[in-house]
Amino acid sequence: MSQPVLEVKQLRKSYGSEVVLEDISFSVPVHTATVFIGSSGSGKSTLLRCINLLDQIDDGSIVLDGEDITAVDADVDKVRRKLGIVFQSFNLFPHMKVIDNITLAPMKVQGISKEIARENAYKLLDRFGLHDKAENYPDRLSGGQQQRVAIIRSIAVAPRLLLLDEITSALDPVLVNEVLSTVRDLKIEGMTMVLATHEMGFAKQVADEVCFLHHGKILEWGTPAQILEAPQQPETKEFLKRVHEAGRL
Amino acid sequence: MSNEIGRPSESDSGAAPYNFGGVWVPSELEIARRAARRTRNTRNSIIAIFSSIVVIGGLALIAVTSPGWKSLSDTFFAWAYGVEVLPKIILGFGTNVTLTLIASTCVAILGLSIALIRTSRSPALAPFRILATLYVDIFRGIPMLLVILLVGFGIPALRIQGLTNNVLVLGTIAVIITYTAYVAEVIRSGILTIHPSQRAAARSLGLSHFQSLRYVVLPQAFRRVTPPLLNDLVALIKDTGLVSILGVTDAVRAAQIASSRSFNYTPYVMAAIIFLLVTIPLTRFTDRTLRRSIERQNATGVA
Ligand SMILES: Nc1ncnc2c1ncn2[C@@H]1O[C@H](COP(=O)(O)OP(=O)(O)OP(=O)(O)O)[C@@H](O)[C@H]1O
Ligand SMILES: [Mg+2]
């Protein structure tokens, strides 16, 4: 089997005396999606931030394409160029039009010419039905449209791995679907992804592997069917029961 | 707040975004409402105009009919003399304008540099951060007049070869030193108001620290600090008058010379009017910019 895109080994992360992540190990093969579920505060966002090197880890290592990105001499900027991340709150740049939000990194980071960057951006906007929003500023878009632009912006640099952190939790239920179908399209096209989500139905659809995070530890992992339909651990059962009661399954 | 993103601003809530096919005709109710609104607006304008005439006219009448009015107007409003000395004052004002242009350019560059140093986290810049903080603290806390005196009279007293004794140059330097401290603080506070998630988003796209600043943080920061910076510009124009203390013949000094020759204070009033001709439009412009920027922030505030 070929080398996984991402390999996390015995990762540990704490904020002060509070241990947020402990003994986290998993790997993400190419073209697959690994989905993290778990209650609020279980450490999902922290894990994604660590992978993106926005937070410093306390122990363990993170290997991207066979390269230890947590090594002391790792080039942070270079690593980030291989990673795309979309946050819970869509951090579009409010002073730039949609099209400029998307072309900024390709032009400034990858050195692609303006014409080609715009052409590529329009192709992506076309594909996700946002062509007519290209010249708008982000505040003129609906939440769902903004989040889709954020996704397009992060895949415009052709990342090796896309990190998506609860990208629908700030959205109306109606808008959730348009964003999720965008992610499903990416999955079909073979994008390798790590996601954190509260949408179990969605996890079932896109995940190749589901990991249940509980108090900073991976308590249980497996295929969506194993974890979501036949969980073994009492905590997982309890969590899924609560999610089910909240009507999100 | 989950930053920067919000609902569309008021301005497009009026226009119907969709075309439903039919032609819309306002209802009876809406027509009545509009008529009532018009009547109310007209009535409000009439009241405003009338009350302004009464109050301002009344005050003017009291001033003009008061016993001291004659000597007051002879001392301050001798227009014939005022017009006579006007060319000299205007010539002097040219110095204020030149000084403002040169100083504001230098202040913009130096203020930005100091703001960037103070907001940087690079360990190599640590000593510069300390120096910059010290500089800002000191020169924001000293009356500018003192800085002008210290630089304008102090530096020539050193009698160092090659250093200028030109009071205009020294005065300009003193103004720059003081205003750089103010402006650096304004810009720094603007940078700090940009939510860290914006920088995080830029960095996660692979932009370097410098690129994130250049393309994401600074453009947004500048929009926010434009109104306070314009305020500082108005203040700078006025404060250039302070260098007259060094003997620079600016508008203030020209007025002082003219007035001391005749024991009449009209030249000062003329100088004041000239300053106002520049500062009032600029102040109005600042107000408008501020209003716009508040509207924009409300439109793109909390999501
Ligand atoms: N910068 C920080 N400083 C201190 N503690 C933090 C910080 N960021 C997160 N934490 C703590 O780490 C724990 C995990 O937070 P994290 O944001 O990763 O949770 P999460 O699983 O993403 O939750 P949610 O589903 O609500 O987004 C929480 O207890 C939180 O209080
Ligand atoms: Mg989270």
Side-chain angles (χ1 to χ4, degrees):
Chain A
M1 201 180 140
S2 68
Q3 155 184 299
V5 174
L6 179 76
E7 217 179 337
V8 173
K9 299 175 195 162
Q10 277 114 46
L11 184 148
R12 181 192 168 89
K13 166 76 191 168
S14 59
Y15 288 112
S17 60
E18 189 196 349
V19 180
V20 180
L21 293 171
E22 206 178 350
D23 196 20
I24 302 284
S25 298
F26 65 97
S27 67
V28 184
V30 70
H31 306 317
T32 67
T34 300
V35 174
F36 281 84
I37 59 170
S39 49
S40 188
S42 57
K44 304 182 294 293
S45 300
T46 308
L47 176 60
L48 296 186
R49 290 176 59 85
C50 287
I51 296 172
N52 200 40
L53 304 182
L54 285 166
D55 268 333
Q56 212 180 347
I57 62 172
D58 292 348
D59 206 349
S61 61
I62 303 171
V63 179
L64 183 68
D65 274 336
E67 199 183 332
D68 184 355
I69 62 173
T70 46
V72 276
D73 58 350
D75 181 345
V76 176
D77 286 342
K78 203 178 124 213
V79 170
R80 292 212 180 109
R81 264 173 248 155
K82 290 182 161 189
L83 294 168
I85 187 165
V86 181
F87 303 90
Q88 193 162 343
S89 55
F90 8 94
N91 297 314
L92 294 178
F93 305 132
H95 61 297
M96 290 181 179
K97 290 177 178 171
V98 164
I99 184 78
D100 300 321
N101 260 280
I102 300 172
T103 55
L104 178 68
M107 282 164 57
K108 302 302 171 193
V109 178
Q110 302 182 313
I112 292 171
S113 78
K114 186 174 177 179
E115 291 69 35
I116 294 177
R118 285 178 73 94
E119 206 183 302
N120 292 341
Y122 268 109
K123 271 187 209 150
L124 288 170
L125 286 167
D126 264 344
R127 213 167 78 204
F128 296 111
L130 288 166
H131 188 105
D132 55 329
K133 302 293 177 194
E135 298 295 327
N136 285 33
Y137 283 93
D139 65 351
R140 293 298 162 94
L141 268 57
S142 77
Q145 291 166 341
Q146 289 182 33
Q147 194 59 299
R148 278 148 69 204
V149 171
I151 295 172
I152 293 174
R153 182 176 72 178
S154 65
I155 60 172
V157 287
R160 277 290 284 161
L161 177 68
L162 190 60
L163 309 170
L164 303 173
D165 185 8
E166 278 173 44
I167 52 172
T168 57
S169 63
L171 298 176
D172 287 5
V174 187
L175 299 177
V176 166
N177 282 326
E178 64 182 39
V179 174
L180 294 187
S181 86
T182 300
V183 178
R184 273 195 297 272
D185 289 350
L186 291 178
K187 175 74 204 319
I188 291 165
E189 285 164 29
M191 178 68 78
T192 313
M193 297 188 274
V194 177
L195 306 89
T197 187
H198 284 303
E199 306 281 339
M200 297 306 142
F202 170 62
K204 207 181 291 178
Q205 288 173 27
V206 298
D208 295 284
E209 182 168 63
V210 175
C211 298
F212 174 63
L213 209 57
H214 185 70
H215 289 317
K217 288 190 188 133
I218 299 181
L219 217 58
E220 195 170 357
W221 69 96
T223 63
Q226 281 168 355
I227 304 299
L228 300 173
E229 278 149 31
Q232 300 300 313
Q233 304 290 333
E235 288 87 352
T236 320
K237 288 177 188 163
E238 173 62 25
F239 170 73
L240 288 170
K241 201 176 114 212
R242 273 192 287 119
V243 171
H244 193 71
E245 280 160 10
R248 296 187 93 148
L249 198 66
Chain B
M1 73 178 208
S2 76
N3 208 40
E4 312 306 342
I5 313 295
R7 47 196 79 76
S9 75
E10 295 305 319
S11 58
D12 69 2
S13 63
Y18 303 107
N19 186 359
F20 293 103
V23 178
W24 171 63
V25 181
S27 68
E28 295 287 324
L29 186 66
E30 173 62 20
I31 291 170
R33 214 155 34 210
R34 285 183 193 179
R37 234 177 262 146
R38 250 193 321 271
T39 318
R40 197 172 52 222
N41 287 347
T42 317
R43 203 187 54 214
N44 287 350
S45 317
I46 292 173
I47 294 175
I49 292 169
F50 185 73
S51 87
S52 307
I53 291 174
V54 169
V55 172
I56 295 171
L59 286 175
L61 204 66
I62 292 169
V64 174
T65 55
S66 69
W69 176 250
K70 177 78 176 71
S71 72
L72 186 81
S73 74
D74 284 351
T75 318
F76 290 104
F77 307 123
W79 298 126
Y81 184 55
V83 170
E84 188 190 316
V85 297
L86 188 59
K88 283 217 171 88
I89 298 178
I90 290 179
L91 205 66
F93 191 66
T95 307
N96 296 89
V97 172
T98 316
L99 209 157
T100 302
L101 292 178
I102 293 172
S104 56
T105 310
C106 296
V107 166
I109 296 168
L110 295 172
L112 175 61
S113 313
I114 287 181
L116 288 178
I117 290 172
R118 288 201 66 190
T119 50
S120 77
R121 302 222 187 90
S122 147
L125 289 177
F128 297 100
R129 258 193 312 272
I130 296 169
L131 289 176
T133 309
L134 209 64
Y135 165 82
V136 169
D137 283 353
I138 290 174
F139 286 100
R140 276 205 315 167
I142 305 179
M144 188 160 105
L145 192 54
L146 271 181
V147 181
I148 292 175
L149 292 173
L150 277 170
V151 174
F153 294 133
I155 288 182
L158 294 175
R159 296 180 197 288
I160 297 173
Q161 281 287 311
L163 232 56
T164 182
N165 285 350
N166 182 324
V167 280
L168 181 57
V169 174
L170 292 172
T172 310
I173 290 173
V175 171
I176 292 173
I177 289 176
T178 307
Y179 269 82
T180 295
Y182 297 153
V183 166
E185 272 312 275
V186 172
I187 297 178
R188 186 175 80 102
S189 71
I191 293 174
L192 293 179
T193 62
I194 303 304
H195 198 273
S197 65
Q198 284 286 306
R199 199 189 292 246
R203 298 284 293 181
S204 65
L205 283 169
L207 268 68
S208 68
H209 172 76
F210 176 77
Q211 286 175 323
S212 309
L213 263 181
R214 161 82 179 73
Y215 297 109
V216 176
V217 177
L218 285 183
Q220 294 183 60
F222 275 128
R223 273 165 206 226
R224 293 206 187 158
V225 299
T226 306
L229 284 183
L230 282 172
N231 266 332
D232 276 349
L233 181 62
V234 174
L236 171 65
I237 294 174
K238 289 183 298 176
D239 281 352
T240 56
L242 288 175
V243 300
S244 60
I245 194 139
L246 300 178
V248 175
T249 33
D250 72 326
V252 176
R253 181 89 183 135
Q256 196 180 19
I257 293 168
S259 137
S260 61
R261 219 180 309 124
S262 63
F263 300 105
N264 183 288
Y265 296 94
T266 309
Y268 285 134
V269 175
M270 298 307 279
I273 291 172
I274 292 173
F275 273 98
L276 286 177
L277 284 179
V278 176
T279 52
I280 287 183
L282 201 54
T283 313
R284 290 288 122 247
F285 177 70
T286 308
D287 273 3
R288 225 181 48 209
T289 318
L290 178 64
R291 225 175 10 248
R292 286 224 187 107
S293 117
I294 289 172
E295 274 164 19
R296 196 166 44 217
Q297 262 167 43
N298 287 346
T300 62
V302 192

